[in-house]
């Protein structure tokens, strides 16, 4: 088997191991030592990356795990030297064998606890995302900054704030109490949803980072589903939604341009993820809870099941959006309703809804309001008004790629009229 | 056939704060480069070096602890290769994985002492 030594290390091994190790060591030493723990693990990877330049070990994962165990012993010495001798947590766990913490089910448990810690209500939403990406998913500050389109300095500050809060509020790696768990779980789902959307709806050039964000969101969600007591309709519905969307990632980002649903090559949609999505979708309805994720997953599913864009079952989608609007009456949902009516050639209905939209509420996304009017006017053959609206949309659009997309639409109208 | 040493300067992974993903990606590139040189039969040896070090200098043999230079000057490792000319060595060095991190390859010919 020596020839197999040349096999490349499996994708994302370092990143995934990083998350595991941070979780294990945080469980052993407590998350107040997070900075020390992360530095130690980072160093393990630097050493590995140097040593493995010339020869990759037979079992890279085992090598890294052993390195982490050695680090644990180092950290024991380091931390107990730091006047922490009286800390009963360390005394308590010192009696346990370090190996026990590295057993598979223990690792999975530690990681779940980390997810709940990341979504602790003491953190703000933007801190939760950053913390999760850093400590659970092993992203560097620079990668997070690129993924969230923020300055690296901003990300650094957010991480520092979470570390400070962990110390001040003495947060531990505990599960929330049974009375609190559902509330906390909904926060966790929200963060997973946000991480996914950052990746999926992004139009920046770093497509690779975006794909990784989507992958991480899926992974976190699957973690939740592995624990029986955490399974619920909402978790399954979210997982289904993420699978349906993620199956379209390749088709959506072929080349440098973002390809919209209408023009995607449907044969490129990734079937295994679609199957997973269908399975999860079915399970989502076997629990008593209902959520927005159920509706969103149902809409995504309609798109996935349509043979072509033209054959999409728009009336089903319309019903789902209407249901969504009764639960969550936002301007974004209204715009979705408009788009569906346009597809169904119900232009008067579309215009009626648009008149109800308070464009100011859309803030940065106000261009979507004008883009919607453009679609309606264009179908009504009111070309002059349509052009007027699209110029508005182009001027207001904050995103370059999206802007180009709108420009192409405008140019098509100019050519055809 | 001459021998050359490729000395790698700068691109200190520790200081650059590379993510685990990036470290793995870099490692893969280094591995591939080493593999390529092995396949060409030109690789003679090489090592990576820790940043920490010790210097002993002068008649008084003064000892000091390093690193001694800024990280972009720091030697991170070396390879020795057997090729015909500086030109060929420079071609091999094109595959050095860390140029994009501001790294430098210095190529020096190894003096061949008379073996007869």
């Amino acid at each position: 088997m020596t020839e197999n030594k040349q096999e490349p290390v499996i994708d994302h091994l370092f990143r995934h191991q990083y998350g595991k190790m941070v979780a294990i060591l945080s469980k052993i030493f407590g998350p107040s030592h997070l900075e020390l723990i992360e530095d130690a693990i980072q160093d393990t990877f630097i050493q590995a990356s140097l040593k493995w330049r010339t020869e990759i070990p037979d079992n890279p994962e085992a090598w890294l795990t052993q390195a982490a165990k050695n680090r644990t012993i180092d950290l024991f010495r380091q931390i107990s030297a730091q006047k922490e001798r009286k800390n009963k947590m360390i005394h308590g766990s010192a009696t346990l064998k370090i190996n026990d913490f590295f057993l598979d089910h223990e690792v999975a448990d530690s990681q779940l606890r980390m997810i709940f810690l990341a979504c602790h209500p003491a953190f703000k939403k933007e801190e939760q995302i950053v913390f999760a990406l850093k400590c659970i998913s092993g992203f560097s500050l620079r990668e997070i900054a690129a993924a969230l389109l923020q300055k690296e300095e901003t990300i650094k500050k957010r991480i520092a704030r979470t570390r400070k809060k962990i110390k001040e509020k003495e947060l531990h790696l505990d599960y929330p109490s049974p009375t609190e768990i559902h509330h906390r779980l909904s926060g966790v789902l929200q963060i997973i949803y946000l991480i996914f959307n950052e990746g999926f709806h992004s139009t920046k050039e770093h497509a690779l980072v975006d794909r990784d964000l989507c992958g991480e969101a899926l992974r976190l969600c699957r973690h939740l589903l592995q624990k029986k007591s955490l399974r619920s309709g909402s978790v399954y519905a979210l997982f289904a939604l993420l699978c349906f969307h993620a199956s379209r990632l390749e088709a959506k980002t072929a080349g440098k341009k973002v390809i919209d649903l209408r023009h995607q090559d449907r044969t490129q949609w990734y079937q295994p993820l679609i199957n997973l999505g269908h399975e999860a979708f079915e399970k989502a309805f076997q629990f008593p809870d209902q959520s927005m994720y159920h509706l969103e997953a149902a809409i995504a599913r309609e798109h996935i099941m349509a043979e072509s864009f033209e054959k999409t079952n728009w009336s089903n989608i319309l019903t789902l959006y209407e249901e969504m609007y009764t639960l969550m009456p936002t301007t974004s949902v209204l715009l979705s309703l408009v788009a569906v009516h346009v597809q169904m050639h119900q232009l008067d209905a579309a215009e009626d809804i648009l008149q109800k939209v308070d464009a100011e509420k859309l803030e940065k996304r106000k261009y979507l309001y004008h883009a919607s009017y453009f679609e309606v006017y264009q179908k009504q053959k009111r070309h002059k008004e349509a052009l007027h609206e699209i110029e508005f949309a182009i001027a207001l659009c904050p995103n370059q790629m999206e802007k180009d997309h709108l420009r192409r639409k405008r140019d098509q109208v100019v050519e055809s009229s | 056939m001459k021998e050359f040493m490729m000395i790698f300067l700068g691109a200190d992974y520790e200081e650059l704060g590379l993510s685990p993903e990036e470290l793995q990606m870099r490692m893969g590139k280094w591995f591939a480069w080493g593999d390529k040189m092995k396949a060409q039969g030109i690789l003679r040896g090489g090592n990576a070096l820790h940043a920490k070090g010790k210097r002993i200098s002068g008649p008084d043999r003064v000892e000091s602890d390093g690193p001694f230079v800024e990280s972009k000057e720091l030697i991170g490792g070396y390879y020795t290769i057997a090729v015909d000319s500086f030109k060929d060595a420079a071609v091999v060095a094109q595959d050095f994985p860390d140029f994009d991190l501001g790294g430098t390859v210095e190529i020096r010919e190894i003096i061949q002492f008379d073996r007869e």
Side-chain angles (χ1 to χ4, degrees):
Chain A
M1 293 294 282
T2 39
E3 293 96 66
N4 284 349
K5 261 194 178 174
Q6 312 292 313
E7 288 284 309
V9 178
I10 56 165
D11 283 350
H12 309 309
L13 175 72
F14 279 25
R15 172 182 286 166
H16 293 167
Q17 284 291 110
Y18 184 92
K20 279 188 194 172
M21 290 178 186
V22 170
I24 298 166
L25 298 197
S26 297
K27 195 171 177 186
I28 299 176
F29 298 107
S32 59
H33 293 291
L34 210 49
E35 200 170 354
L36 197 64
I37 290 168
E38 284 200 83
D39 285 349
I41 294 167
Q42 174 71 1
D43 189 56
T44 309
F45 286 105
I46 291 176
Q47 299 313 326
S49 76
L50 295 176
K51 282 194 177 132
W52 298 6
R53 278 179 183 182
T54 46
E55 195 178 353
I56 295 171
D58 283 334
N59 187 342
E61 204 175 332
W63 191 99
L64 288 170
T65 305
Q66 188 53 48
K69 285 181 190 172
N70 298 344
R71 286 283 160 180
T72 313
I73 297 166
D74 292 344
L75 281 176
F76 259 120
R77 293 199 190 110
Q78 216 172 325
I79 290 170
S80 37
Q82 284 175 7
K83 73 187 165 123
E84 300 260 356
R85 275 208 165 277
K86 285 173 206 136
N87 189 326
K88 59 181 187 302
M89 184 276 305
I90 289 179
H91 268 266
S93 51
T95 57
L96 284 169
K97 282 192 192 120
I98 288 171
N99 277 339
D100 290 350
F101 285 101
F102 286 84
L103 296 171
D104 282 347
H105 66 273
E106 279 291 326
V107 176
D109 180 69
S110 305
Q111 284 191 287
L112 271 179
R113 287 166 191 262
M114 278 301 276
I115 294 174
F116 277 100
L117 176 66
C119 300
H120 197 282
F123 302 148
K124 290 184 187 152
K125 282 269 166 293
E126 68 259 25
E127 292 166 357
Q128 295 179 341
I129 295 188
V130 169
F131 183 90
L133 289 177
K134 178 85 173 66
C135 300
I136 303 172
S137 308
F139 283 54
S140 68
L141 296 176
R142 195 175 49 237
E143 284 172 334
I144 300 172
L148 304 183
L149 294 176
Q150 299 275 349
K151 289 199 185 95
E152 204 174 320
E153 200 52 36
T154 312
I155 304 299
K156 205 171 171 180
K157 279 185 192 146
R158 285 184 195 165
I159 286 288
R161 275 203 297 272
T162 56
R163 283 184 183 144
K164 202 169 152 218
K165 281 180 185 171
I166 288 174
K167 281 188 184 156
E168 281 173 4
K169 297 181 193 286
E170 297 181 18
L171 303 183
H172 297 294
L173 225 52
D174 298 332
Y175 272 117
S177 64
T179 50
E180 215 192 333
I181 197 139
H182 281 289
H183 180 64
R184 288 283 295 280
L185 188 60
S186 88
V188 171
L189 296 185
Q190 236 180 64
I191 289 302
I192 294 174
Y193 182 75
L194 287 174
I195 290 176
F196 187 88
N197 280 344
E198 281 294 339
F200 193 72
H201 293 299
S202 147
T203 39
K204 57 184 169 287
E205 280 175 44
H206 293 88
L208 205 67
V209 181
D210 294 336
R211 231 168 274 179
D212 286 359
L213 281 180
C214 295
E216 280 307 308
L218 271 165
R219 211 165 65 94
L220 293 177
C221 202
R222 218 182 43 204
H223 262 306
L224 297 177
L225 288 174
Q226 273 158 4
K227 186 149 175 114
K228 211 173 168 189
S229 63
L230 293 179
R231 288 174 199 160
S232 71
S234 325
V235 186
Y236 274 113
L238 176 61
F239 190 67
L241 171 65
L242 301 191
C243 288
F244 288 141
H245 277 338
S247 72
R248 297 197 281 111
L249 258 180
E250 288 291 331
K252 179 174 177 268
T253 53
K256 278 214 164 172
K257 270 190 288 177
V258 174
I259 302 173
D260 61 26
L261 197 54
R262 182 196 293 264
H263 298 102
Q264 285 170 19
D265 174 1
R266 294 186 180 223
T267 59
Q268 285 210 0
W269 290 357
Y270 190 62
Q271 198 58 43
L273 270 174
I274 295 177
N275 297 342
L276 271 180
H278 282 304
E279 263 173 56
F281 187 77
E282 215 171 280
K283 284 186 184 136
F285 289 90
Q286 295 165 7
F287 292 82
D289 61 315
Q290 282 287 325
S291 65
M292 290 302 290
Y293 304 122
H294 284 81
L295 291 171
E296 280 205 55
I299 293 166
R301 185 170 157 271
E302 287 296 340
H303 286 300
I304 286 292
M305 295 201 308
E307 252 174 75
S308 65
F309 187 78
E310 289 70 27
K311 287 185 182 165
T312 309
N313 191 331
W314 294 111
S315 66
N316 276 359
I317 292 179
L318 187 69
T319 315
L320 290 163
Y321 273 123
E322 279 168 349
E323 213 176 310
M324 192 181 274
Y325 189 72
T326 57
L327 287 171
M328 192 176 69
T330 66
T331 37
S332 296
V333 181
L334 283 181
L335 288 185
S336 300
L337 280 168
V338 170
V340 178
H341 278 301
V342 169
Q343 292 309 332
M344 298 170 82
H345 296 280
Q346 298 168 347
L347 302 176
D348 292 342
E351 214 179 341
D352 282 350
I353 297 172
L354 266 177
Q355 276 162 5
K356 279 191 255 168
V357 172
D358 180 358
E360 295 310 318
K361 274 194 187 162
L362 289 161
E363 294 175 6
K364 270 190 195 163
R365 298 165 67 230
K366 195 177 161 186
Y367 74 96
L368 290 173
Y369 170 76
H370 294 287
S372 303
Y373 259 118
F374 162 77
E375 298 287 346
V376 175
Y377 286 153
Q378 209 211 343
K379 282 245 160 86
Q380 289 172 333
K381 310 239 180 285
R382 291 153 75 178
H383 294 303
K384 225 175 159 183
E385 286 152 294
L387 276 175
H388 185 67
E389 291 296 334
I390 195 101
E391 291 295 354
F392 253 123
I394 293 169
L396 289 171
C397 180
N399 177 298
Q400 195 53 50
M401 273 178 139
E402 197 78 4
K403 222 182 209 170
D404 291 343
H405 182 68
L406 293 170
R407 283 203 181 108
R408 281 195 294 274
K409 280 192 171 181
R410 176 195 59 192
D411 296 346
Q412 280 166 10
V413 177
V414 174
E415 277 166 29
S416 64
S417 61
Chain B
M1 187 78 73
K2 292 172 176 170
E3 283 199 7
F4 294 88
M5 181 177 273
M6 294 186 288
I7 303 162
F8 312 127
L9 306 161
D12 180 14
Y13 289 180
E14 200 159 338
E15 196 183 83
L16 289 165
L18 298 187
S19 70
E21 184 80 3
E22 289 167 316
L23 286 170
Q24 181 174 343
M25 191 261 286
R26 298 264 154 206
M27 193 259 316
K29 284 187 180 173
W30 275 94
F31 189 79
W33 187 29
D35 241 22
K36 188 173 165 187
M37 289 188 283
K38 269 186 221 163
Q40 292 169 337
I42 58 174
L43 189 63
R44 290 293 175 268
N47 276 304
L49 302 174
H50 285 294
K52 272 187 197 161
K54 213 177 235 319
R55 270 185 181 179
I56 305 166
S57 54
D60 292 336
R61 291 161 202 205
V62 177
E63 280 193 24
S64 48
D65 291 324
F68 311 95
V69 289
E70 273 184 68
S71 60
K72 68 176 196 320
E73 301 284 324
L74 196 73
I75 298 174
Y78 66 91
Y79 271 134
T80 49
I81 51 170
V83 289
D84 287 329
S85 62
F86 264 115
K87 215 176 149 193
D88 291 345
V91 170
V92 174
Q94 294 303 314
D95 288 330
F96 170 67
D98 295 338
F99 284 124
D100 59 332
L101 297 178
T104 300
V105 180
E106 182 175 321
I107 303 171
R108 305 276 291 268
E109 187 178 348
I110 297 170
I111 298 175
Q112 309 277 333
F113 293 102
D114 250 341
R115 279 175 194 141
E116 279 114 309

